[in-house]
Amino acid sequence: MDMGTKGKGGRRRVRNKRDQQITVRLTDREYRKLQQAASGSSVAALVRNRLLGLSKGTAPQVPLVNRQA
């Protein structure tokens, strides 16, 4: 049996499970700015990466027409 799965089939086990949560209140304008900065990625991933120093500068902006496609 593979160490990464639970029994036959099923979901793979996560080694570094994210089980801690923080709550932040933002204005609509602040949240929209974060959404723009995330450019197609999740806002949570953007905030996590920036706070933990994992991002390499700013992400390239994806044109709106490409995000809608």
Side-chain angles (χ1 to χ4, degrees):
M1 174 162 69
D2 181 24
M3 293 297 220
T5 60
K6 179 181 176 183
K8 276 190 166 180
R11 203 174 203 184
R12 294 186 67 79
R13 290 185 184 169
V14 178
R15 287 182 186 242
N16 296 320
K17 183 177 177 184
R18 290 187 174 107
D19 57 355
Q20 300 299 312
Q21 181 177 348
I22 61 170
T23 302
V24 178
R25 294 188 182 271
L26 304 169
T27 64
D28 286 337
R29 184 175 183 206
E30 292 168 333
Y31 188 72
R32 283 193 305 270
K33 284 179 79 171
L34 284 177
Q35 286 178 313
Q36 279 184 322
S39 65
S41 179
S42 73
V43 171
L46 171 77
V47 172
R48 182 185 316 110
N49 290 339
R50 289 210 180 157
L51 286 175
L52 298 176
L54 301 176
S55 65
K56 307 283 189 221
T58 59
Q61 293 293 319
V62 177
L64 178 62
V65 69
N66 290 354
R67 284 184 282 172
Q68 291 175 338

